[in-house]
Amino acid sequence: MVNNPQFPHGCVVSRKILNTTVYPPTETDVVVLASSCQNQINSGGGTNSYNGMYNSEYVCFIPLQYDINGNEVVPFIDIDDKIVVSDKSRTIIGRIKQTEVGNLGIRVWYNQDVKPTEL
């Protein structure tokens, strides 16, 4: 991965998929997106809409994604997907609360997930 001062952090978005082709059914984590990003602490707590802006613990900016042929790809990131963000000093595990796809990339609002089973 190339160092980009605008997107100095890394993030991985995944979701649980239920496999019903086997017995008993099993859940597996499937990676939806692995990318560089810019993570910021957002003011306020809890994700609520206020004048069209969302408040959450964190907001993550993810640059546009391209396939091997240079075509723009918009990954399908959904609410309640798991996000793991690594900055220079820590790793934050959270759940996505809202997303917005723009012409420069994806903005993701998320709250830290403090479930002891995932820390």
Side-chain angles (χ1 to χ4, degrees), residues 5-54:
Q6 187 175 1
F7 301 103
H9 309 130
C11 69
V12 175
V13 177
S14 62
R15 79 172 50 105
K16 289 198 180 297
I17 302 293
L18 183 63
N19 182 358
T20 58
T21 61
V22 295
Y23 184 81
T26 58
E27 281 189 336
T28 56
D29 276 341
V30 175
V31 173
V32 177
L33 172 72
S35 176
S36 59
C37 65
Q38 181 189 98
N39 191 55
Q40 297 178 359
I41 296 174
N42 208 8
S43 62
T47 304
N48 300 312
S49 179
Y50 178 74
N51 289 337
M53 299 294 288
Y54 290 94

Side-chain angles (χ1 to χ4, degrees), residues 56-73:
S56 63
E57 290 178 309
Y58 299 95
V59 63
C60 186
F61 300 93
I62 301 171
L64 288 176
Q65 305 295 307
Y66 297 94
D67 67 12
I68 196 163
N69 297 319
N71 300 317
E72 185 179 318
V73 175

Side-chain angles (χ1 to χ4, degrees), residues 8-11 37-42 57-59 84-93 110 112:
H9 309 130
C11 69
C37 65
Q38 181 189 98
N39 191 55
Q40 297 178 359
I41 296 174
N42 208 8
E57 290 178 309
Y58 299 95
V59 63
V84 178
V85 178
S86 299
D87 61 19
K88 295 179 181 178
S89 60
R90 63 188 171 160
T91 299
I92 303 166
I93 300 171
Y110 72 98
Q112 188 169 5

Side-chain angles (χ1 to χ4, degrees), residues 13-14 47 77-83 94-99 108-111:
V13 177
S14 62
T47 304
I77 298 174
D78 204 2
I79 293 171
D80 206 37
D81 281 351
K82 179 180 176 181
I83 185 168
R95 295 283 167 192
I96 295 175
K97 299 299 176 189
Q98 185 66 35
T99 64
V108 174
W109 291 268
Y110 72 98
N111 289 330

